[in-house]
Amino acid sequence: MSTAVVDERTFYGLGRDFTSTTRLYLQHWMWRRQLKYLLHPAVTEDKEIMRVADIGCGTGIWLIDLAEQLPRAKLDGYDISSAQFPPAEWLPGNVELTTLDALAEIPSTLVEKYDVIHIGLLVLVAGDEPVPLLRNVVKMLKPGGYLQWDEADLGGLYRSANPPSVAKHNLDALYALIDQRFNRAGLSYSWVRSLDEILPQAGLEVVHNSFHPIPDEIAHPWTHMHLLSVSELLKNVKDAEHNVHEWWKLYVKAIEEAREGASIRMGMVVAVGKKPKS
């Protein structure tokens, strides 16, 4: 299992530097605050002895937190890059992180190895067609095992202001440019709210599907987290293709609007599927 490059059509666009890693930690803790769980209660395996894989694990923080709850379970994290992994010596004893391209052929040693597979925030990796990624990952799941997909409703992202008199036109203009970039690449992320229809296409029985809007009490940190991700996108915009300086000007003004009460809202979707035993 070696580090590979994700297909450009997925248009990942985010970074793996210090800021990006910090954003991943913030993102994880906000998700945990809202959902109140790591593994959804619909996952009814014997959690003490099961094997769990986290696909696209980033920093490994989801597994590190899960290890506190399941100290006897075997917890494996996979990501296309090890750049954001903490030192192996700092990991809980039952957590191991390694590289894997989840869009490539799955090694035979990983086929039907796991009782539970977690996918978290891979919308930019899956692109506009999540089924190939899903079918690939399901190969790693034992018959009777569970797949939990926690995803951001990128297709349903919108801007808001509180009070309504607060300006957000720079925030709107910035995201309009980002939307144009995605549209030119032919990408759409509207599928996220249809995960309950997508899981069966990979042979899974849906046992849970829910949508969680972003409440006012976390709108401020949620917006800051999103603006951090936008800075990562802007760093990867080539000046030859776009007027990057104008994008950055909008970005600085959007931050000021966020300080005054403008916000970015993008709900959370959680879907759990079970693989048939035969």
Side-chain angles (χ1 to χ4, degrees):
M1 292 174 283
S2 60
T3 302
V5 177
V6 177
D7 189 327
E8 289 184 359
R9 179 164 172 73
T10 63
F11 208 70
Y12 180 62
L14 300 180
R16 293 188 173 89
D17 60 9
F18 177 83
T19 301
S20 307
T21 301
T22 303
R23 173 186 55 79
L24 287 184
Y25 285 120
L26 173 63
Q27 186 172 271
H28 167 77
W29 285 315
M30 281 195 292
W31 271 74
R32 186 171 183 185
R33 178 194 184 279
Q34 286 308 106
L35 297 181
K36 312 300 184 188
Y37 57 79
L38 293 168
L39 278 179
H40 190 274
V43 177
T44 58
E45 288 288 320
D46 185 346
K47 297 180 176 63
E48 282 300 308
I49 59 172
M50 66 184 178
R51 298 187 71 106
V52 180
D54 185 20
I55 307 300
C57 65
T59 64
I61 188 59
W62 188 85
L63 290 172
I64 292 169
D65 274 0
L66 188 63
E68 287 189 322
Q69 301 176 9
L70 306 176
R72 294 175 54 210
K74 182 68 178 72
L75 310 177
D76 296 331
Y78 297 101
D79 201 283
I80 198 168
S81 170
S82 61
Q84 293 169 297
F85 293 176
E89 295 78 10
W90 294 0
L91 296 173
N94 60 336
V95 173
E96 183 176 354
L97 307 180
T98 190
T99 56
L100 174 73
D101 183 355
L103 294 173
E105 183 176 355
I106 298 297
S108 59
T109 54
L110 299 182
V111 173
E112 296 189 353
K113 182 176 182 178
Y114 293 98
D115 302 292
V116 177
I117 292 177
H118 174 256
I119 300 176
L121 304 172
L122 286 189
V123 60
L124 292 180
V125 173
D128 62 349
E129 181 46 76
V131 175
L133 170 67
L134 179 61
R135 286 178 174 162
N136 221 27
V137 170
V138 167
K139 294 176 185 176
M140 301 169 64
L141 195 60
K142 294 178 182 178
Y146 291 86
L147 182 138
Q148 177 179 319
W149 194 330
D150 303 336
E151 196 53 81
D153 182 25
L154 184 56
L157 183 149
Y158 68 97
R159 277 76 58 197
S160 181
N162 188 18
S165 58
V166 169
K168 61 180 181 68
H169 55 273
N170 291 293
L171 199 59
D172 287 337
L174 179 61
Y175 273 85
L177 289 172
I178 294 171
D179 288 343
Q180 289 174 17
R181 191 179 182 202
F182 287 143
N183 291 338
R184 277 196 295 271
L187 298 172
S188 171
Y189 302 103
S190 58
W191 54 265
V192 173
R193 287 210 191 187
S194 301
L195 276 174
D196 58 330
E197 299 174 10
I198 292 170
L199 264 57
Q201 296 180 45
L204 299 175
E205 174 195 354
V206 177
V207 297
H208 173 81
N209 187 68
S210 58
F211 175 77
H212 307 265
I214 301 305
D216 287 344
E217 54 264 31
I218 67 163
H220 195 233
W222 192 262
T223 298
H224 280 65
M225 181 268 293
H226 271 283
L227 287 172
L228 281 173
S229 68
V230 171
S231 72
E232 297 172 45
L233 287 171
L234 294 185
K235 289 175 184 176
N236 290 322
V237 174
K238 296 179 180 178
D239 200 25
E241 300 175 3
H242 307 277
N243 190 342
V244 181
H245 297 297
E246 292 302 315
W247 284 46
W248 279 110
K249 287 180 181 178
L250 278 176
Y251 178 75
V252 172
K253 292 176 181 178
I255 290 174
E256 292 301 319
E257 290 176 344
R259 287 174 177 165
E260 296 299 320
S263 66
I264 302 162
R265 309 292 180 110
M266 184 173 69
M268 307 168 172
V269 175
V270 178
V272 181
K274 186 174 184 179
K275 188 174 184 178
K277 290 188 175 181
S278 60

